[in-house]
Amino acid sequence: MVQGALVLEGGALRGMFTAGVLDVLLEKGIEFSYVNGVSAGSLNGMNYISKQRERSRDINLQFVNDKRYLGARNIVSNGGIFNFHFLFGEISEQLYPFDAREFFLSQQRFEVVATNCRTGQAEYFEKGKEAEIIKAAAASCSMPILSSMIVLNEQRYLDGGVSDPIAYRRAMGQGYQKVVAVLTRQEGFRKPQIPRALAVAYKRRYHRYPKLVSKLLKMPEHYNEMQREIAQLSAGKRMFLIRPSKPVTVARTEKDTKKLRELYEEGKREALARLPELMEYLQS
């Protein structure tokens, strides 16, 4: 087992890139002692820890056009545009069973990042320490406006990407000297300013949570600052990055299975191409 950290960015269905990368790591038997995931990164991380190659890929390709899984009606009837009741219920229990035994018995540490709506701060839920780690993953994936808040330990949570979109600082703070980050945006990508209409929607929807609103409005600034710092850490060999080599055109709620499959395959190609560099970094 590699004594290092694996950090997984979110991005909803852009996480198909991450799924491809992780399947290569599983194929090569590369296990990290610590993994954290934000939003879709948490779901991909769960399948990596449970050692279920291609599960993330197959679920998204099969159900992305199934209204039970993804659709606007779910916002009202199931608490979010992605239906976690269906994902963690029928899919995980019957259609594509999740190997909970492998997941919970794994010696790998695994943390999920979610945003506390009251404080606006990131909180980290660890497998083996948090009784409702599956619910924490759902909270991590609950996109603002498009999802309801998830109640966990009598607190309300939303998408971890609001407060800590790429949790590399968390990994370093845990003492890991080797940090590998799988990102879902190409080098040089920067988030644009939040449109005025969306800012107004945030303020109206979450007027009872001013600290959350503040975080939401500062998301582009925070994300872009992280990207600049990540570039410096990578240049100094403090981090190793695996990311798309070209602009990603897949939307967060992408329905085009051809584009999703291509993004998955791009993740596999990129991981295989970078594998020698990755092993050199981990062994140095």
Side-chain angles (χ1 to χ4, degrees):
M1 184 177 294
V2 174
Q3 294 304 308
L6 180 63
V7 174
L8 308 175
E9 184 180 11
L13 286 168
R14 287 193 289 269
M16 286 291 275
F17 177 85
T18 303
V21 173
L22 296 185
D23 281 352
V24 169
L25 296 183
L26 287 173
E27 287 170 7
K28 302 301 181 181
I30 302 173
E31 297 182 13
F32 287 80
S33 56
Y34 170 83
V35 182
N36 72 40
V38 179
S39 193
S42 67
L43 302 182
N44 280 316
M46 289 175 66
N47 290 326
Y48 171 71
I49 298 292
S50 68
K51 297 179 176 58
Q52 291 181 275
R53 276 197 308 118
E54 301 177 349
R55 184 172 185 269
S56 291
R57 180 199 68 181
D58 291 348
I59 288 173
N60 284 321
L61 290 179
Q62 179 164 343
F63 296 106
V64 73
N65 287 299
D66 187 325
K67 292 179 181 179
R68 294 175 297 171
Y69 179 63
L70 172 61
R73 291 182 180 179
N74 288 322
I75 297 175
V76 175
S77 58
N78 293 296
I81 192 166
F82 284 94
N83 182 358
F84 298 123
H85 300 297
F86 182 52
L87 174 60
F88 295 123
E90 187 175 351
I91 290 178
S92 293
E93 294 171 3
Q94 300 173 30
L95 303 176
Y96 282 89
F98 177 64
D99 192 341
R101 177 179 172 81
E102 180 69 37
F103 175 76
F104 285 108
L105 290 181
S106 171
Q107 295 302 303
Q108 294 170 279
R109 291 184 61 206
F110 177 63
E111 286 191 321
V112 167
V113 187
T115 301
N116 184 306
C117 297
R118 180 180 58 83
T119 66
Q121 299 300 310
E123 293 187 13
Y124 306 89
F125 300 90
E126 185 169 354
K127 173 177 68 75
K129 295 182 179 180
E130 170 54 55
E132 296 188 273
I133 191 68
I134 306 299
K135 196 172 184 180
S140 183
C141 297
S142 295
M143 295 184 286
I145 304 294
L146 298 178
S147 303
S148 299
M149 296 175 180
I150 299 289
V151 178
L152 187 64
N153 302 330
E154 300 184 350
Q155 297 286 319
R156 296 178 183 274
Y157 294 90
L158 279 175
D159 195 336
V162 174
S163 53
D164 195 0
I166 309 167
Y168 62 96
R169 293 171 182 166
R170 172 67 175 180
M172 291 176 174
Q174 299 284 294
Y176 293 99
Q177 299 299 308
K178 298 293 183 180
V179 178
V180 176
V182 181
L183 309 181
T184 53
R185 289 291 197 178
Q186 74 279 6
E187 184 177 2
F189 173 81
R190 297 293 183 269
K191 282 192 174 183
Q193 287 297 313
I194 291 175
R196 184 175 181 277
L198 182 55
V200 170
Y202 284 151
K203 292 175 181 177
R204 288 179 177 173
R205 176 73 177 271
Y206 304 117
H207 65 277
R208 294 175 56 193
Y209 302 90
K211 293 181 179 178
L212 174 64
V213 171
S214 178
K215 283 286 187 180
L216 286 165
L217 297 180
K218 293 177 181 176
M219 280 179 64
E221 177 185 346
H222 185 207
Y223 183 85
N224 295 341
E225 175 193 341
M226 282 188 155
Q227 288 291 342
R228 288 188 288 270
E229 185 174 50
I230 282 171
Q232 293 174 350
L233 290 168
S234 175
K237 308 298 183 183
R238 184 66 184 86
M239 283 182 70
F240 188 91
L241 308 180
I242 303 176
R243 67 194 316 168
S245 59
K246 58 186 178 182
V248 176
T249 60
V250 167
R252 291 189 302 171
T253 56
E254 183 65 59
K255 295 280 193 174
D256 188 332
T257 55
K258 182 174 183 292
K259 291 174 67 174
L260 291 172
R261 184 179 291 277
E262 287 174 351
L263 185 58
Y264 169 82
E265 293 297 337
E266 182 182 350
K268 291 193 71 173
R269 287 194 301 271
E270 193 66 24
L272 286 169
R274 301 293 307 286
L275 197 58
E277 293 175 71
L278 173 62
M279 299 311 297
E280 181 180 356
Y281 168 78
L282 294 175
Q283 295 166 5
S284 64

